[in-house]
Each structure stands twice: as structure tokens, then as C-alpha cells.
Amino acid sequence: MKTSIRRLTLRAVALGVAALALTVGGATAGLDATSEDGVIKACRHKSGFLLLPSAGKACKRSEQALSWNVAGPAGPAGADGRDGTDGRDGAPG
């Protein structure tokens, strides 16, 4: 019984590490897809998946080229909030 629990625990840890590695790898690839002008370029496959082309590569003819900005223009500043109440005094030191 203990052996099967230990084996399941090791598998769960291995799957967690693999998922973390894929997430970090995907985030790194997303950062690599951003060019100097702050635009992300991707290719939409027929299946709906987004693919990030390597630097200097273009999308295939069967794929749709997509691009979007990392950040849009700043909006107008909002109104100042009202002042809050003073906090309680702390214990004497």
C-alpha cells in the first residue's frame, strides 16, 4: 500500500514539474515572439492553434498571419480617490 502511494506521489510530482517546464517554455517563447516594436506575431493553424514562428520565418500559406500589440495606448487619468481614515495608534514602544 505504501509503495503504491509513494509511486503515485512521485508521478504527481513528475507531472507537476513537466507542467511547470511547459509553462515556462511557453512564456519564454511568447517573449521571444515579441519584436522590438512591441508587436507579437503568430500564425493561426487550421485547427485553431496559435503557432509562434521562429525569428525571420513567415507563416505557411495554409496558416493565417496574426499580430497584436503588447500594450495599447494609455487611457486618461481617473479622478483622485477620497482620503481614508487614520489608522489606530500602535502599542507604545
Side-chain angles (χ1 to χ4, degrees):
M1 181 72 173
K2 286 184 179 182
T3 305
S4 63
I5 292 174
R6 179 176 287 157
R7 195 175 302 159
L8 287 174
T9 303
L10 289 174
R11 285 183 183 169
V13 169
L15 284 174
V17 169
L20 180 63
L22 285 173
T23 302
V24 170
T28 304
L31 291 174
D32 290 343
T34 306
S35 62
E36 293 81 28
D37 59 355
V39 176
I40 297 175
K41 295 174 180 67
C43 304
R44 182 183 170 274
H45 191 264
K46 288 186 276 186
S47 64
F49 287 108
L50 288 181
L51 307 170
L52 300 174
S54 300
K57 299 286 184 173
C59 297
K60 297 177 183 173
R61 283 192 295 187
S62 61
E63 298 171 341
Q64 179 184 10
L66 300 172
S67 63
W68 61 94
N69 293 333
V70 174
D80 289 341
R82 59 186 183 97
D83 290 339
T85 58
D86 290 340
R88 293 185 298 157
D89 289 340

